[in-house]
Amino acid sequence: MSQLPILTFPDPRLRQKARPVQRVDAAIMRLVDDMLETMYAAPGIGLAAIQVNVPLQVVVMDVSEQHDSPLCLINPQVLALEGTEQREEGCLSVPGFYEKVTRAERITVQALDRLGAAFTLETDGLLAVCIQHELDHLNGKLFVDHISMLKRQRIRAKLERDQRNGAATSSKRGEAL
Ligand code: QAP
Ligand code: CO
């Protein structure tokens, strides 16, 4: 397995629309394993293939305390959304920034797993929010698209400055804008 480099906002490649996976073969399983390794190393709770510059409909997540419950969704389809809730979100492609986003409280999704088998998942809480966040990535959407333009522009300016200055300043997370 290997860790993959993660694209950072406002990289235009994060705006690509992901294509469905045609066949869950060895290359896709390898991608899933590399994405899980990349996510756990970050550390993070969710990662979409688009974030490692692979425009396919593949996401991995693990919202468990022990980091021992990996979940992979390939070609996910939303069957139902219910209720609303607000929660603070972050993103591995928007390092150092967290903002409140309004999402559905409960979600039902159908997808293929890492072995290509179809399954349906109905869930709520952090996992439901994380799934919605990751499905946004498949449509080229980021959590910063759900906040005010002013906040988004501040985040963009800060991350562009970090990227111009190299990784050094971006290690200083969460400082005032
Ligand atoms: C999406 O995000 C998510 O800024 C997954 O410096 C997050 O794993 C959905 C991370 C929260 C719902 C709620 C972010 C790591 C990880 C950072 C992540 C950072 C280091 C974000
Ligand atoms: Co994200």
Side-chain angles (χ1 to χ4, degrees):
M1 301 218 292
S2 36
Q3 284 186 49
L4 307 167
I6 299 175
L7 302 178
T8 304
F9 176 72
D11 193 310
R13 289 172 291 182
L14 288 166
R15 298 309 191 173
Q16 300 172 86
K17 298 244 187 304
R19 288 177 279 107
V21 169
Q22 296 294 341
R23 209 164 58 86
V24 181
D25 56 14
I28 295 296
M29 291 182 198
R30 168 80 201 258
L31 171 67
V32 168
D33 292 345
D34 288 348
M35 285 172 61
L36 281 167
E37 185 179 334
T38 304
M39 179 187 77
Y40 284 124
I45 60 168
L47 182 71
I50 204 92
Q51 294 177 271
V52 293
N53 199 28
V54 176
L56 290 174
Q57 293 178 15
V58 177
V59 308
V60 297
M61 284 164 283
D62 188 340
V63 300
S64 70
E65 299 265 321
Q66 319 288 329
H67 309 292
D68 60 356
S69 306
L71 178 65
C72 165
L73 305 181
I74 297 172
N75 301 348
Q77 300 290 331
V78 177
L79 301 182
L81 293 168
E82 281 172 79
T84 58
E85 77 167 289
Q86 263 206 346
R87 201 180 273 268
E88 190 117 305
E89 293 187 22
C91 180
L92 288 170
S93 293
V94 191
F97 295 91
Y98 302 85
E99 296 289 344
K100 273 210 164 140
V101 175
T102 304
R103 307 263 188 196
E105 192 175 13
R106 193 163 189 86
I107 188 169
T108 309
V109 282
Q110 189 170 55
L112 303 179
D113 67 16
R114 184 188 170 281
L115 298 173
F119 70 103
T120 301
L121 174 70
E122 185 182 346
T123 191
D124 59 9
L126 179 59
L127 181 57
V129 165
C130 196
I131 291 171
Q132 292 168 73
H133 174 114
E134 300 310 327
L135 297 203
D136 265 0
H137 278 300
L138 302 184
N139 293 311
K141 207 164 172 184
L142 298 166
F143 85 90
V144 295
D145 300 335
H146 293 276
I147 64 178
S148 75
M149 194 189 294
L150 180 63
K151 280 184 179 168
R152 184 162 61 250
Q153 279 170 349
R154 281 182 177 164
I155 292 172
R156 175 201 296 269
K158 177 70 166 56
L159 287 176
E160 276 174 344
R161 178 151 53 89
D162 279 3
Q163 284 161 59
R164 270 199 308 279
N165 296 344
T169 47
S170 63
S171 63
K172 201 175 168 191
R173 309 286 191 210
E175 66 183 280
L177 292 176

